[in-house]
């Protein structure tokens, strides 16, 4: 099983429309290649029928090659359906794959079994196949009940937590880069705490 996230990032509403169209296209390609696709999470876009991001689970012999075609920077070339006469015709969105995390991650997760339930409290089945998984170190928690067996739900839960951890690491890295950029702008020109001089960068005594 592979997780694939399609995202419009900070792009305009046309990029969110591109993501929604991409999901339909990907599902058609998956069907042709006998790859199963399930929508795990989705964030609606600014307009009806658009998606800011979507997280998909793909499974099948051709899943890896299919995901490869949807990973990286993706472009949709089309006149804007929202802004007639707008000069821009290229809209970009991205695809990111999340493969199985390190095997030891499962040992860092607490699992609880739950009764699967549907809308209105109706039971999907009569077994405790749903699971709630919590990563001990980070506190990240997910509930999974989309699979029929407890084992499959646990496997998907580990993948989801691995994806959350990868996203968190990326966000932390982005925050550090932003802080560095901010620091560059904030360096005071004057009143130095220390002074260095010459090619040999020798400190000047106070």
């Amino acid at each position: 099983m592979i997780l694939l996230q399609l995202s419009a990032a900070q792009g305009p509403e046309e990029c969110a429309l591109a993501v929604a169209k991409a999901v339909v296209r990907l599902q058609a390609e998956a069907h042709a290649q006998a790859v199963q696709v399930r929508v795990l999470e989705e964030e609606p876009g600014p307009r009806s029928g658009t998606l800011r991001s979507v997280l998909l689970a793909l499974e099948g012999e051709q899943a890896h090659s299919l995901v490869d075609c949807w990973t990286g920077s993706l472009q949709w070339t089309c006149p804007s359906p929202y802004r007639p006469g707008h000069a821009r015709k290229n809209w970009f969105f991205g695809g990111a794959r999340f493969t199985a995390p390190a095997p030891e991650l499962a040992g860092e997760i607490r699992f609880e079994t739950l009764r699967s339930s549907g809308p209105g409290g109706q039971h999907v089945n009569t077994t405790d196949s749903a699971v709630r998984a919590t990563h001990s170190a980070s506190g990240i928690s997910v509930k999974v009940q989309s699979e029929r067996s407890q084992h499959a739900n646990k496997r998907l839960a580990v993948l989801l937590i691995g994806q959350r951890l990868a996203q968190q690491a990326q966000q932390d890295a982005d925050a550090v880069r932003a802080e560095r950029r901010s620091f560059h702008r904030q360096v005071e020109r004057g009143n130095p705490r220390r002074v260095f001089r010459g090619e040999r960068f020798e400190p000047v005594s106070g």
Side-chain angles (χ1 to χ4, degrees):
M1 185 183 298
I2 310 173
L3 299 186
L4 173 68
Q5 184 171 34
L6 300 176
S7 174
Q10 301 303 313
E13 54 195 358
E14 289 87 353
C15 297
L17 177 60
V19 171
K21 289 181 175 294
V23 172
V24 176
R25 170 62 61 184
L26 188 151
Q27 288 173 328
E29 293 179 1
H31 179 74
Q33 298 180 43
V35 173
Q36 295 179 345
V37 179
R38 292 191 305 284
V39 176
L40 301 180
E41 298 174 352
E42 58 184 24
E43 179 184 348
R47 287 178 179 257
S48 176
T50 66
L51 290 171
R52 180 60 58 191
S53 70
V54 61
L55 182 64
L56 307 167
L58 294 88
E59 194 163 15
E61 289 185 8
Q62 302 301 317
H64 283 274
S65 59
L66 178 60
V67 168
D68 284 342
C69 297
W70 289 92
T71 301
S73 180
L74 304 165
Q75 177 180 334
W76 176 42
T77 301
C78 182
S80 171
Y82 304 132
R83 295 179 282 179
H86 189 62
R88 181 176 173 183
K89 294 181 174 59
N90 293 319
W91 315 101
F92 293 90
F93 61 104
R97 67 184 294 164
F98 299 91
T99 52
E104 56 266 24
L105 178 62
E108 303 170 4
I109 297 174
R110 298 194 315 272
F111 294 99
E112 302 173 67
T113 58
L114 308 166
R115 178 69 55 91
S116 295
S117 59
Q122 295 178 348
H123 294 307
V124 174
N125 55 49
T126 58
T127 63
D128 295 336
S129 61
V131 299
R132 178 178 286 111
T134 304
H135 184 242
S136 301
S138 66
I140 293 173
S141 180
V142 298
K143 179 183 177 183
V144 181
Q145 61 176 25
S146 59
E147 305 298 319
R148 293 186 177 183
S149 73
Q150 186 182 118
H151 175 75
N153 280 325
K154 283 185 175 181
R155 184 163 66 106
L156 181 52
V158 172
L159 274 175
L160 283 170
I161 287 180
Q163 184 249 356
R164 300 285 201 286
L165 289 171
Q167 281 189 322
Q168 188 177 77
Q170 182 62 52
Q171 290 169 357
D172 290 345
D174 290 344
V176 169
R177 284 193 290 269
E179 185 176 356
R180 287 174 179 168
R181 288 194 297 269
S182 177
F183 172 73
H184 292 324
R185 293 192 294 267
Q186 293 173 3
V187 173
E188 184 181 2
R189 301 300 190 267
N191 299 318
R193 184 171 183 179
R194 298 189 68 190
V195 177
F196 302 86
R197 180 177 295 161
E199 291 291 335
R200 297 176 61 182
F201 199 74
E202 294 179 340
V204 176
S205 61

